[in-house]
Amino acid sequence: MYSRIAGTGSHLPEKILTNADIEKLVDTSDEWIRTRTGISERHVVADGETTADLAEHASRKALAAAGVEPGEVDLICVATATPDLVFPNVGTLLQDRLDIHGCPAFSLEAACAGFAYALGVADKFVRLGEAKCALVVGADTLTRIVDWSDRGTCVLFADGAGAVVLKPASEPGIISTHLHADGRYKDLLQYPDGPSRGFHLMREGKAGVRMKGNEVYKIAVNKLGQLVTETLEANGITKDQIDWLIPHQANIRIIEAIAKRLDMPMERVIVTIATHGNTSAASVPLALDTGVRDGRIKRGQLLLLEAFGGGFTWGSALIRY
Ligand code: ACO
């Protein structure tokens, strides 16, 4: 038994923040942001708009694309680092909005690699016969936790959600997932506050994402390079067999470095960073849905998804779409 992607969906908040808008907040320039990151604009949530709102829109589109009624869903797994509440988890909030009751619903946190983790977990449920219709979501509102006076991070992050519906299949589907983490790197990229620390930084107005961008960059390129090699070798396939690379959209230069490692022309890489920015756990399913809906990604093609995030966490999935 395998799982396969029956449908995809995504959602971006309406409000757009351009590089010119950010020039008014911090000492930066459109030229610096575009050349160093590839980002021109990004979507940000409006007052009162939350991760669960974005997740709900993306989920409804994925369910419609899969031809599935919400009532058929028997597992909900939401990857997010920016939940609406500490608890109940975003999975249960989403479950309630979809008017489904009783099936397992949870969120998991693996920063920008969250969707790869969620896909890996949900795939196992389906393979083991414990779920017949899994809703897997990556949704984040990182602009809520960014320090808007830190030009090293505030130019990067954005909000959005992407979702897929997994159903059982006799052939893959999700061929393999590869998940890794190394907590030694916890200080290079973090939001250094939380409930068990009493939210003391937040109360003092000193909270915000902290990142040593240059060091993150080098390790991300290195780990993702190893990861794509591991994924190909584990399945005995060669670089030229991949139809589409669907990378985490953190920085165009990281994306190009991984494409180069795979000898893939950029025409076979789904790149959304220019208008999406880094939407964290939403980035990969957003890129996947973009490629599916604009007709580039077709049924039967071989997809390589990869992501890297705070922790560090990193993960990939090889998928026959
Ligand atoms: N505008 C203008 N100048 C800036 C800005 C800005 N927005 N940000 C930094 N600079 C300056 C720095 O202060 C520095 O100036 P200095 O030389 O006078 O000290 C100079 O630009 C170079 O800074 P670097 O940090 O070396 O710039 P770099 O080329 O590395 O680009 C960036 C920074 C874009 C953040 C890059 O390092 C990067 O993309 N890193 C990886 C991000 C990532 O992959 N994150 C992982 C996923 S996110 C998650 O998990 C939540």
Side-chain angles (χ1 to χ4, degrees):
M1 176 107 79
Y2 297 96
S3 74
R4 70 174 180 92
I5 294 179
T8 67
S10 62
H11 183 75
L12 291 163
E14 233 171 77
K15 188 173 162 194
I16 290 174
L17 203 63
T18 65
N19 290 349
D21 295 326
I22 294 190
E23 281 176 1
K24 292 176 198 144
L25 302 175
V26 288
D27 179 16
T28 189
S29 67
D30 172 51
E31 204 263 336
W32 192 97
I33 302 171
R34 274 190 294 103
T35 53
R36 297 289 183 119
T37 72
I39 302 169
S40 297
E41 60 182 38
R42 72 286 290 146
H43 292 249
V44 298
V45 279
D47 286 348
E49 199 173 17
T50 69
T51 296
D53 292 329
L54 306 182
E56 181 186 354
H57 285 296
S59 298
R60 289 193 187 279
K61 289 179 201 164
L63 292 169
V68 161
E69 290 299 324
E72 293 174 54
V73 172
D74 57 4
L75 175 77
I76 298 177
C77 179
V78 181
T80 186
T82 45
D84 296 37
L85 310 169
V86 173
F87 61 83
N89 72 71
V90 177
T92 36
L93 301 182
L94 178 60
Q95 186 195 45
D96 181 48
R97 285 159 182 236
L98 296 174
D99 202 19
I100 314 167
H101 307 282
C103 74
F106 57 94
S107 56
L108 64 80
E109 195 276 290
C112 294
F115 184 75
Y117 269 70
L119 198 66
V121 170
D123 174 54
K124 268 85 180 166
F125 270 83
V126 176
R127 279 183 189 229
L128 290 169
E130 292 191 14
K132 292 198 164 42
C133 185
L135 179 59
V136 188
V137 185
D140 262 314
T141 48
L142 241 64
T143 67
R144 292 274 191 235
I145 60 166
V146 157
D147 175 354
W148 285 99
S149 66
D150 175 13
R151 67 178 183 173
T153 52
C154 76
V155 302
L156 303 173
F157 296 111
D159 305 327
V164 301
V165 174
L166 294 185
K167 304 236 353 176
S170 54
E171 287 179 18
I174 312 290
I175 298 168
S176 66
T177 56
H178 304 261
L179 307 177
H180 295 281
D182 193 336
R184 273 178 302 186
Y185 299 113
K186 62 187 180 301
D187 296 330
L188 297 184
L189 175 56
Q190 62 174 221
Y191 180 84
D193 206 357
S196 130
R197 290 193 173 185
F199 285 121
H200 65 287
L201 289 175
M202 195 186 288
R203 281 192 273 110
E204 290 161 24
K206 292 180 189 157
V209 175
R210 303 270 175 269
M211 179 170 77
K212 295 190 177 132
N214 209 293
E215 289 171 63
V216 176
Y217 181 92
K218 285 185 219 145
I219 298 168
V221 170
N222 183 24
K223 296 289 184 201
L224 288 173
Q226 290 169 4
L227 181 66
V228 294
T229 304
E230 172 192 331
T231 310
L232 298 183
E233 285 181 0
N235 293 289
I237 63 162
T238 52
K239 298 170 182 176
D240 56 306
Q241 289 175 270
I242 305 288
D243 291 301
W244 292 103
L245 175 65
I246 304 168
H248 174 44
Q249 312 283 317
N251 184 313
I252 188 65
R253 292 181 294 149
I254 299 178
I255 295 173
E256 286 169 350
I258 303 307
K260 199 168 164 205
R261 177 105 173 208
L262 287 166
D263 294 327
M264 288 195 80
M266 289 306 284
E267 294 74 45
R268 280 169 44 215
V269 183
I270 305 289
V271 180
T272 57
I273 190 165
T275 53
H276 290 186
N278 181 348
T279 55
S280 189
S283 135
V284 169
L286 259 164
L288 171 65
D289 186 53
T290 301
V292 166
R293 283 178 193 261
D294 68 21
R296 279 179 291 171
I297 298 173
K298 296 184 175 58
R299 284 286 173 197
Q301 289 186 323
L302 196 59
L303 318 179
L304 177 54
L305 281 56
E306 48 87 342
F308 184 88
F312 290 138
T313 51
W314 61 104
S316 66
L318 186 70
I319 298 172
R320 180 71 65 190
Y321 179 63

